[in-house]
Amino acid sequence: MRKPLLAFLVSVCALTAQPRYDLLLKGGHVIDPKNSISRALDVAIAGGKIAQVAPSIPASEARRVADVKGLYITPGLIDIHVHVYAGTGIRAITGDSSVYPDGFSFRTGVTTMVDAGSAGWRNFPDFRQRVIDRARTRVLALLNISGGGMDVDGEDDPADLDPEAAARMARQHPDVIVGFKTAHYNGPGWLSVERVVKAGSLANMPVMVDFGTVNDIRNLNTLLMDKLRPGDIYTHMYSGHRDELIENQQINPAMIAGRKRGIIFDVGHGGGSFYWFVAVPAYRQKFYPDVISTDLHTGSMNAGMKDMIQVMAKILNMGSPLEDVVRWSTWDAAKVIKRTDLGHLDVGAEADVTVIRMDKGRFGLVDSAGAKKMGDRMLVAEMTLRKGDVVWDLNGRASQDWTVFPYKKRPRASH
Ligand SMILES: [Zn+2]
């Protein structure tokens, strides 16, 4: 008597219990570099957070199940060099070339973007109010040491390079500002670099340097050995514009010495900062990126750069394992900007997740000059989750078939 009763109670409970999870990504291969995971696992999400990462989580425990067999599940991608201060009308370096974050993030697997100096310490509140606070993408910022950011007047007016004002603004927006940036500096000396590092020291934050022009005084060795601090970021590492390669295509010894000191090297592909003739010899000498980023703007995205996932594919095709490519685009990027709440799939973390497909075939990968290198693998963003919500789903993997979908509005039957 007891046994059937127990079985009955269990089945009633099973029928009435709500599924524990909102969404289950089932059948994928998880790459979570922070936790040294690269194997077949399911990922369950509840309340906008990672609820479980384990083998064979039953489909019955989730309200929605996405079949991601044959795909990679990674933390949401972090692009630490973009330009998203859109709609200003400011004719900066290449015109008003920022884009709005949500139009270009999720469809390429990116959940966090770090704007690299589009706004400075003077116009940051406008950037925050008009773009950052209205975006669904998590937008963080490296504040330009020049008050007007990437302004029509340039970024090298000494009176406008103000470390105290920059640090003050950073302290007022600690949830969003993660560091500082100097770029496009055409002055003769070190003023912009010294001022941006001063701001970084005042606020205890890293700085990113687009080194501008080199000359007798401004050279890579002094920058990487004397001026920057460990943890500071050298972007456009494969540009070749600043003697990154010296004669016989050798990596500048200053780059190697800088790396030993803890300088971070960032891809920052952009419209004029990634060339195969620099990247391939650097790769042969094992000078790999520390972090991967796009330098997204209308100029780069409509030329060779395209988007984050394609920049990752370029690095992959130069010979790095997918695990490294993902690490440089997630956990290592989070560490560089000191946001270790991001870039991993820890249980309890906000569920920013990317599902990646790796296609095999023949693909043309184009650099900033328009030169092509053929590759045999291409990466595609299949799904993107932001705070557990499906914000991009290329093949409707989380969707129900239309024949069973409970449409809210059905057209009235006519006779
Ligand atoms: Zn840039």
Side-chain angles (χ1 to χ4, degrees), residues 77-82 110 112-115 292-296 308 329 333:
L77 304 179
I78 302 173
D79 184 350
I80 70 157
H81 187 157
V82 302
V110 173
T112 297
M113 288 176 152
V114 183
D115 183 274
I292 297 173
S293 73
T294 59
D295 192 3
L296 173 74
M308 180 68 176
S329 312

Side-chain angles (χ1 to χ4, degrees), residues 110-142:
V110 173
T111 53
T112 297
M113 288 176 152
V114 183
D115 183 274
S118 305
W121 50 265
R122 195 181 308 109
N123 52 5
F124 181 79
D126 177 61
F127 177 33
R128 171 152 202 171
Q129 182 259 321
R130 287 201 306 102
V131 177
I132 296 177
D133 290 347
R134 296 182 192 179
R136 208 168 174 195
T137 310
R138 180 189 286 98
V139 180
L140 306 174
L142 297 163

Side-chain angles (χ1 to χ4, degrees), residues 10 58 63 92 106 131 142-143 149 201 209 228 254 270 325 353 403:
V10 166
R63 232 187 309 276
F106 303 139
V131 177
L142 297 163
L143 194 66
S201 298
V209 171
L228 296 185
V325 173
V353 182
T403 54

